[in-house]
Amino acid sequence: MPDMPEHEIHPYIEFKACPDATLGMEIEFQLLNPVTLDLTDGISVLLNSYPETPEIKPELTQCSVEINSKVCANIRELEADVISLVRTLKGRCESLGMALCTAGTHPFSQRPVRITPRPRYLAIEKRMAYLSHRLKTFALHVHVGMPSGDAALAVMTLLKPYLPILLALSASSPFWEGEDTNFASFRQRFLAIMKDYGVPPSFSAWSDFAEFFQNTRTAGLSAICRDLHWDLRPSPGFGTLEVRVMDALPTVRENIMMAALVYTLIVYLLRCHEQGACGHLPPHHWWMEKMNHFNASCQGLEADYIFDGQGHSSPLREVILETFQKLTPTALELGTTAYLQHLESHLVKQPSYLRQRRLFQETGSLKILVATLVRELEEDLAV
């Protein structure tokens, strides 16, 4: 076989660098029948009725809808943009006879979901088969601008030890198809079935990632970078590092709190990288990453966090509070201090998965639970 030109073997993937740490987010919402409060396949009628809002987008399943913020310079700009978008979306859903809420999973829906009839999604359906029709999960994704592809991958490695913190704080999926799973984030356990979800590998340079991606494309595993559904991935077209580990939370302000934490944490770790240092949680061996991730999805904030290769651990709540303290100077600089304080007083003490479980224990009704999720979002937007 003749030698191939280097660019044909490993074509360069351009990373559109962001000189500033810009900020953006995506939230996936549940479309509901307002009477039964079960999921409803409403995305087509929603988009056909309101085609002029590109920030409101379809997802794989017809029972979900995603909002995409604009590229923002700071957390307050992001908050204003997302609240406006969600208010628009909620009003449109109501005018079409649908209710709207979000959490990591729908608590009781048991029926298979239908796939949105777009070429990319139909191709995914063909590959995933049965699993695609059970994918009733809803996430929060946060993008932070990176100065280069190399920097994005370096920060990605430094951020991996913090993924259990982000997962435990955002965990909002204790129920699945009418059952209490005893997990804080069962969404993560369902996604673990898939071929390319979970904690990403590490790469030493952008050229290494480009070679890896080309190999996966040659193998037929991916066509574009978005086909890599890791909990944390570079997004070269946006010039961002994208954090995907988090469950969607019931209110916009809770999601904004998590975005503020991600934003502050990534900027802190970028500074560490530029100074040749790690964050206060050093990179771990793969088995520690795997166990900490599993423990956070299972026990949420009550999990233990393994911090060294000998298996020693500390309560995750203590690790979270230590992390907040480390982030104090960066938060002050970025204007996220108040958001992190609210997160600490709210989600650390009243995480969504515990609120949902307690309500079900009090009422015995998952329909009342979904009605409460709808009301929480409505009351949040009314403020």
Side-chain angles (χ1 to χ4, degrees):
M1 182 176 177
D3 291 339
M4 295 178 65
E6 182 67 22
H7 73 275
E8 293 184 18
I9 300 174
H10 304 306
Y12 181 70
I13 304 172
E14 180 185 2
F15 187 91
K16 296 183 179 178
C18 294
D20 300 313
T22 55
L23 182 60
M25 67 189 295
E26 305 158 12
I27 310 174
E28 296 167 352
F29 288 87
Q30 305 177 20
L31 298 173
L32 306 175
N33 180 300
V35 177
T36 66
L37 296 182
D38 201 347
L39 295 170
T40 188
D41 297 324
I43 189 60
S44 293
V45 66
L46 177 63
L47 296 181
N48 289 340
S49 299
Y50 300 98
E52 77 283 359
T53 307
E55 299 83 6
I56 297 175
K57 297 184 176 181
E59 257 296 335
L60 175 70
T61 61
Q62 295 190 36
C63 61
S64 60
V65 61
E66 179 181 279
I67 63 103
N68 288 195
S69 78
K70 67 181 182 180
V71 178
C72 298
N74 55 60
I75 191 66
R76 291 194 179 277
E77 183 181 346
L78 179 71
E79 181 177 26
D81 183 56
V82 171
I83 289 174
S84 175
L85 273 175
V86 179
R87 282 175 175 159
T88 298
L89 174 62
K90 182 175 180 295
R92 292 179 175 185
C93 288
E94 290 174 348
S95 71
L96 294 168
M98 291 184 286
L100 189 72
C101 76
T102 194
T105 56
H106 186 280
F108 66 78
S109 182
Q110 296 188 6
R111 67 177 182 84
V113 293
R114 296 169 64 190
I115 303 304
T116 304
R118 296 197 172 188
R120 171 172 158 77
Y121 298 139
L122 294 175
I124 292 174
E125 178 188 26
K126 186 175 181 180
R127 291 197 305 270
M128 292 174 57
Y130 173 82
L131 289 176
S132 65
H133 296 279
R134 313 309 302 190
L135 195 61
K136 295 174 283 189
T137 62
F138 305 85
L140 164 66
H141 300 161
V142 177
H143 291 257
V144 178
M146 291 281 105
S148 68
D150 287 342
L153 294 175
V155 175
M156 187 170 87
T157 296
L158 295 179
L159 186 55
K160 288 199 291 181
Y162 296 86
L163 291 179
I165 292 174
L166 303 178
L167 175 54
L169 285 169
S170 67
S172 64
S173 50
F175 296 96
W176 179 258
E177 297 194 344
E179 298 287 340
D180 186 341
T181 66
N182 290 318
F183 279 81
S185 173
F186 189 73
R187 166 184 161 268
Q188 276 289 341
R189 302 283 40 92
F190 180 84
L191 295 178
I193 302 170
M194 313 297 182
K195 64 180 175 67
D196 58 355
Y197 284 77
V199 181
S202 295
F203 301 91
S204 59
W206 186 252
S207 58
D208 294 333
F209 173 79
E211 179 178 351
F212 163 85
F213 177 72
Q214 176 60 18
N215 292 341
T216 66
R217 189 159 57 181
T218 300
L221 300 177
S222 59
I224 57 177
C225 286
R226 283 190 295 153
D227 291 332
L228 302 173
H229 295 100
W230 299 329
D231 287 338
L232 179 60
R233 72 183 182 191
S235 290
F238 295 121
T240 64
L241 185 58
E242 180 183 1
V243 181
R244 303 164 47 84
V245 71
M246 297 164 289
D247 285 1
L249 284 154
T251 68
V252 173
R253 284 172 175 79
E254 286 174 317
N255 288 296
I256 292 293
M257 290 177 200
M258 289 304 305
L261 174 58
V262 170
Y263 179 42
T264 309
L265 184 55
I266 286 180
V267 172
Y268 160 74
L269 292 174
L270 179 60
R271 303 276 168 75
C272 290
H273 162 65
E274 291 169 345
Q275 296 166 10
C278 293
H280 88 291
L281 296 178
H284 297 323
H285 193 279
W286 73 267
W287 73 267
M288 296 165 62
E289 292 178 349
K290 187 176 181 67
M291 286 308 304
N292 284 333
H293 192 281
F294 179 87
N295 290 343
S297 70
C298 180
Q299 299 169 316
L301 295 172
E302 304 311 314
D304 285 333
Y305 183 92
I306 304 168
F307 61 81
D308 67 23
Q310 290 72 49
H312 299 116
S313 61
S314 294
L316 183 57
R317 285 182 182 271
E318 292 183 6
V319 177
I320 291 172
L321 295 179
E322 291 171 3
T323 300
F324 284 173
Q325 291 174 357
K326 282 287 184 180
L327 295 179
T328 297
T330 309
L332 186 62
E333 175 191 345
L334 298 177
T336 58
T337 301
Y339 295 86
L340 299 193
Q341 289 173 342
H342 291 153
L343 190 156
E344 183 176 343
S345 63
H346 178 60
L347 284 180
V348 173
K349 296 179 181 177
Q350 302 179 70
S352 176
Y353 68 91
L354 286 185
R355 300 201 313 261
Q356 292 182 47
R357 189 167 282 136
R358 287 167 185 162
L359 181 60
F360 178 67
Q361 291 169 350
E362 292 169 0
T363 65
S365 171
L366 291 176
K367 185 173 181 180
I368 291 176
L369 171 54
V370 178
T372 300
L373 294 174
V374 172
R375 188 176 68 251
E376 284 187 1
L377 180 61
E378 183 174 304
E379 291 175 349
D380 181 56
L381 294 174
V383 175

